[in-house]
Amino acid sequence: MKLNQHTSDAIVVTPLPDGMFQLSLQNNTDHSLVFNLDLFYHCLSKQREVLARSECQGICFRLSGAFRAEDYRQRVQDATDASRIPLRSELMALTRELFLSSKVRILQFDQLLTGEALSFALQFDRRIAIGKGAGLSFADCAYGILPGWGALPRVLQRGKAIYYIPAFVKGVTLRNSALSDSGLGDGYYDTWEEARTHEEHMALPQQWTIGEQGQQGVQFISERTQGRSLYEQVLQSAFQDLNNATVSGLLIREHFAYLRLLKSAETKRRLRVSYYGIREVRRKSEAHKTDFSPRRLGVIGAGMMGAGIAYQAAKSDIQVTLQDVTLEQAQRGKNYAEKVIARLLRNGEIQTESAEQLLQRIHPTDSLTDLMDSDVIIEAVFEDFALKSELVAESLPLLSSGGILASNTTSLPIGNLSVNLDQAHRFIGLHFFSPVDRMALVEVVRGEQTSEETLGRALAFVDRLGKIPIIVNDGPGFYTSRIFFHYLLEGVSMLLQGVPIQRVEESAKEAGMAVGPLAVLDEISLPLMLKVYDQYPSLTNSQQRVYHYLRQLVEQGRTGRRAKRGFYSYEPGQTKHYWTDPELPVVDEEFDKEELGFRLLAVMALDAARCLEDGILERPIDGDVGAVFGLGYPSYTGGVFGLMDSVGVDRFISVCESYRNYGEQWVVPELLKRMARGKERFDEGLDALS
């Protein structure tokens, strides 16, 4: 019987000693097979059939070979399809029956399990990983999908809160030591041949107090999320429901939460940007990408950005020459890689031999000529136009014959930096995000003279690094920096308007941003922000007001975190605290946090629409992916264009016009007005993306 017929006959049953039975489901094909609700049902019904035998004391279920989660569109459809209700009801009954069984159930598996396969794995009393590829992926949680079918109650009986709660909140993957440490893994073997079938796992595991685990879950979620997204609200409610709940009650509540999320508009927005959107921007990249495999990378500037790029390239098996003005500074850049690797070694995510080989690929130097014959050279010094222009010109002759030259500039137009280059067609912008080893996005900035060949090679390089590329066209601030500057500007504008600093920062975080705008300014330093503004050809009245205020703070020595004085005060040995400027107006009114938070998100969305109108962006999905994965824009919105769609373009325009007295940043572009007249949307739904 073929496995993909999804019948219980595909599961082979073998008696074992001590009253145990082995159930085996194998995928012996060269491609992964779908683990969907139908296969889930057959796996559970076969277990019930075997457990019902009087001689059976327990089962060991072997799941071997590659299984993939069902397509998200199909899962969303299944959640709303009335014809699937009988199957879901039967699955619920089976889940409850097996959950209450007094006979031990053990799972052995050799692949990464996600989707329904993850929910299936979490139902067992014990889980044994076979081989380095085995693991549990909570990736669906990052899209706002809760594992169902008894997964949450079972995890709460076994898991350790410090591990399993982040899995549900952040969507992490657990492998190797992390799987064991989490309490969700009970053993590991290199091969099936080495795996003992069941002897040491016969006893049922220690049961944790569900109510206690639920309280830990509520506390963790409260501390690390703001509860703005539906997923966060549902997840917190699920943990709160754990106290004094019966098994049947828990399973029913979990199932309704599972269905509610799959049916929600928020989940569809998350999937559009975080799953289908990434596939779409990668497909666009593939259309431009050339057959280019760089062997040598030169990085100019060994600060945090340059050091991060060097580490990422060395990790991708590229030889890196890391240059700075002194050998000591260049070596400090290499030390960054050593720190990252030390953490990976502690977590068991890299072997010692691989770590040593990675470090040997990074070659610090104080001589620019050591970059000779590099296939890619990236200038990564601080945002100073004169310095960057000089280094770009000096670097061009050092390239190999087919090499490309890039700048990691945050905001300086590529066309301006290359104006004196005799081969400007070989120059492009590669805007990485910090920290490079953790941030997935690279903004690929195509200058007016950048050739298609250079674009293709740059995309091949970004792909080699394992990053997500969005292609944007040139202009001051490009796309991500440009809209982010509006976020920072609006935070300062709120202060000048009389909003207390604490209210500004809390509103931003409660809206879903990881860091408030004023804390960001302190981190990047106020003088650097002024330099960025100095590069703009002109400033609006609103920007000038912010510029002059920032200059006043700099003149007072309040330049940011490094100076221990900025919008916050940083006293030694104390937690940073808000600083209140006595010169600013005090407005005797209550500022609504939700409105302020929306205002900070909306000002970025509005400028993203201008970027689309100006041709900086070519498609809305590029803007959404860039905002979420480059700037930390909250994924529950679906990105900047997703936010406008969720509000409705008509209503979004009305809100922006009501803010018009706050400054020119709220002027609505003609593009949005045309869309409102035509009742158009940016997002045509999940079916519009592959």
Side-chain angles (χ1 to χ4, degrees):
M1 186 72 66
K2 291 183 179 179
L3 179 60
N4 59 10
Q5 287 181 275
H6 290 172
T7 70
S8 55
D9 295 333
I11 303 170
V12 178
V13 180
T14 307
L16 299 172
D18 304 319
M20 291 291 290
F21 282 78
Q22 179 177 289
L23 283 66
S24 298
L25 179 61
Q26 293 182 311
N27 172 18
N28 296 319
T29 67
D30 294 332
H31 57 277
S32 58
L33 297 176
V34 175
F35 199 108
N36 60 10
L37 291 185
D38 298 291
L39 181 55
F40 202 135
Y41 168 78
H42 290 302
C43 288
L44 294 189
S45 60
K46 178 60 76 171
Q47 289 181 63
R48 177 175 62 180
E49 175 190 318
V50 174
L51 287 169
R53 300 181 188 183
S54 59
E55 68 273 24
C56 177
Q57 300 301 309
I59 60 174
C60 178
F61 197 109
R62 287 192 163 194
L63 187 62
S64 174
F67 292 86
R68 69 180 185 274
E70 191 167 38
D71 180 79
Y72 287 111
R73 291 191 187 90
Q74 186 60 51
R75 292 171 69 183
V76 169
Q77 183 178 330
D78 281 347
T80 56
D81 188 350
S83 68
R84 303 291 275 178
I85 292 176
L87 174 62
R88 293 202 301 268
S89 298
E90 184 62 24
L91 273 170
M92 282 290 293
L94 278 168
T95 296
R96 181 182 181 279
E97 183 178 335
L98 294 174
F99 196 100
L100 297 174
S101 174
S102 61
K103 298 178 180 180
V104 68
R105 292 190 298 143
I106 303 165
L107 176 70
Q108 295 181 334
F109 61 104
D110 63 358
Q111 299 290 330
L112 185 66
L113 303 181
T114 190
E116 266 71 34
L118 170 70
S119 299
F120 176 69
L122 293 176
Q123 289 198 347
F124 286 82
D125 301 302
R126 304 245 184 220
R127 282 160 290 277
I128 313 299
I130 311 296
K132 290 182 170 35
L136 302 178
S137 171
F138 289 78
D140 287 356
C141 296
Y143 309 136
I145 300 174
L146 190 69
W149 313 109
L152 184 57
R154 179 65 82 188
V155 165
L156 291 170
Q157 285 190 317
R158 285 289 320 281
K160 298 176 183 176
I162 193 172
Y163 282 95
Y164 71 73
I165 299 173
F168 281 102
V169 173
K170 299 179 181 178
V172 301
T173 293
L174 302 174
R175 276 194 174 103
N176 305 325
S177 60
L179 184 59
S180 299
D181 292 343
S182 69
L184 300 181
D186 296 276
Y188 169 81
Y189 297 98
D190 287 325
T191 65
W192 285 105
E193 290 71 27
E194 293 177 11
R196 283 176 288 180
T197 308
H198 64 276
E199 295 91 340
E200 69 271 44
H201 303 295
M202 280 289 288
L204 287 169
Q206 174 188 0
Q207 301 297 299
W208 293 60
T209 303
I210 289 182
E212 175 187 324
Q213 297 287 291
Q215 286 305 312
Q216 291 179 2
V218 170
Q219 182 178 351
F220 183 96
I221 297 165
S222 298
E223 290 173 352
R224 288 163 176 78
T225 70
Q226 301 298 332
R228 285 298 303 273
S229 76
L230 175 64
Y231 178 73
E232 291 167 359
Q233 294 167 11
V234 168
L235 186 60
Q236 187 151 5
S237 177
F239 278 95
Q240 287 172 334
D241 286 344
L242 294 171
N243 296 317
N244 304 316
T246 64
V247 168
S248 295
L250 281 176
L251 292 173
I252 290 170
R253 291 173 191 176
E254 178 200 47
H255 186 60
F256 280 120
Y258 168 81
L259 290 178
R260 182 186 179 193
L261 287 168
L262 275 175
K263 294 176 181 179
S264 73
E266 178 188 300
T267 297
K268 293 173 185 175
R269 290 195 297 270
R270 285 180 183 263
L271 286 171
R272 176 186 172 272
V273 64
S274 299
Y275 181 73
Y276 292 106
I278 288 176
R279 292 173 62 173
E280 186 65 24
V281 298
R282 288 196 188 281
R283 185 171 10 265
K284 182 178 180 181
S285 173
E286 286 293 325
H288 291 277
K289 194 172 72 174
T290 61
D291 185 16
F292 177 62
S293 183
R295 296 173 296 105
R296 291 195 60 202
L297 167 68
V299 179
I300 304 172
M304 189 168 183
M305 291 302 298
I309 295 168
Y311 164 78
Q312 194 68 33
K315 180 183 175 184
S316 305
D317 201 23
I318 296 174
Q319 294 292 327
V320 183
T321 303
L322 180 58
Q323 189 270 343
D324 213 312
V325 292
T326 69
L327 188 58
E328 181 184 6
Q329 287 173 278
Q331 182 60 51
R332 279 204 296 266
K334 182 173 181 176
N335 293 346
Y336 175 82
E338 293 173 348
K339 291 176 183 177
V340 174
I341 287 171
R343 185 183 72 244
L344 297 176
L345 285 169
R346 286 194 302 270
N347 296 338
E349 298 177 48
I350 191 173
Q351 300 300 312
T352 302
E353 183 180 356
S354 298
E356 292 173 351
Q357 291 173 352
L358 191 159
L359 287 172
Q360 288 171 5
R361 296 187 197 108
I362 302 177
H363 312 282
T365 182
D366 58 358
S367 175
L368 201 62
T369 57
D370 285 344
L371 275 64
M372 183 65 72
D373 290 328
S374 294
D375 300 310
V376 179
I377 294 178
I378 300 177
E379 167 277 306
V381 301
F382 55 89
E383 292 290 285
D384 182 278
F385 179 79
L387 177 61
K388 282 181 176 286
S389 299
E390 179 183 345
L391 288 172
V392 164
E394 291 180 10
S395 302
L396 186 62
L398 304 176
L399 287 172
S400 63
S401 59
I404 62 170
L405 179 61
S407 173
N408 181 54
T409 177
T410 302
S411 60
L412 301 177
I414 295 303
N416 292 358
L417 288 174
S418 62
V419 68
N420 294 320
L421 287 184
D422 58 357
Q423 297 182 59
H425 63 280
R426 301 175 72 182
F427 186 55
I428 196 166
L430 291 179
H431 179 201
F432 290 81
F433 295 80
S434 183
V436 177
D437 55 295
R438 297 184 187 180
M439 297 295 285
L441 191 80
V442 175
E443 188 176 21
V444 181
V445 187
R446 177 169 46 190
E448 187 174 343
Q449 296 188 64
T450 303
S451 69
E452 184 66 22
E453 182 69 18
T454 296
L455 174 63
R457 292 182 177 185
L459 290 168
F461 172 67
V462 171
D463 183 63
R464 176 82 172 268
L465 300 187
K467 298 297 186 182
I468 302 167
I470 61 164
I471 305 169
V472 304
N473 293 313
D474 200 11
F478 325 130
Y479 167 63
T480 55
S481 294
R482 173 173 156 174
I483 69 168
F484 197 61
F485 291 158
H486 277 76
Y487 172 67
L488 304 180
L489 179 147
E490 198 64 18
V492 180
S493 294
M494 287 176 175
L495 279 185
L496 299 179
Q497 176 191 335
V499 181
I501 179 174
Q502 183 173 354
R503 186 57 58 95
V504 174
E505 298 291 86
E506 288 177 352
S507 298
K509 288 187 278 190
E510 289 185 15
M513 296 297 289
V515 185
L518 307 174
V520 172
L521 281 166
D522 271 6
E523 292 295 330
I524 65 176
S525 89
L526 276 59
L528 179 59
M529 192 65 208
L530 290 174
K531 279 193 173 184
V532 170
Y533 274 132
D534 285 337
Q535 308 301 330
Y536 276 60
S538 62
L539 298 178
T540 65
N541 291 332
S542 296
Q543 290 170 331
Q544 287 178 21
R545 281 195 298 272
V546 171
Y547 182 92
H548 291 313
Y549 180 64
L550 293 179
R551 182 163 292 286
Q552 287 175 26
L553 294 183
V554 170
E555 290 170 355
Q556 296 170 22
R558 304 199 71 89
T559 58
R561 187 184 186 101
R562 183 171 293 183
K564 304 191 184 308
R565 300 196 311 155
F567 290 104
Y568 290 76
S569 292
Y570 306 84
E571 303 296 339
Q574 297 182 22
T575 304
K576 70 178 184 180
H577 56 273
Y578 301 114
W579 171 70
T580 300
D581 188 345
E583 300 299 319
L584 290 181
V586 177
V587 179
D588 187 21
E589 67 176 88
E590 189 67 28
F591 292 95
D592 182 77
K593 283 186 184 179
E594 188 169 344
E595 181 182 353
L596 293 175
F598 180 80
R599 191 171 140 189
L600 289 167
L601 298 183
V603 76
M604 286 189 275
L606 188 59
D607 197 52
R610 294 190 199 99
C611 287
L612 192 63
E613 184 175 63
D614 295 345
I616 302 296
L617 284 175
E618 295 180 353
R619 307 178 305 173
I621 193 61
D622 298 321
D624 285 334
V625 170
V628 170
F629 291 94
L631 305 178
Y633 200 84
S635 61
Y636 73 84
T637 64
V640 283
F641 294 101
L643 178 77
M644 289 186 278
D645 276 342
S646 65
V647 172
V649 174
D650 263 345
R651 181 161 174 257
F652 184 80
I653 289 174
S654 296
V655 172
C656 291
E657 288 176 342
S658 72
Y659 295 153
R660 182 63 182 84
N661 61 314
Y662 297 144
E664 297 87 349
Q665 66 270 30
W666 293 105
V667 173
V668 176
E670 185 59 35
L671 169 69
L672 285 184
K673 295 177 181 178
R674 287 199 307 270
M675 290 182 66
R677 289 193 294 269
K679 301 189 183 304
E680 298 175 50
R681 293 171 51 86
F682 291 104
D683 171 22
E684 298 302 324
L686 293 184
D687 291 335
L689 298 173
S690 303

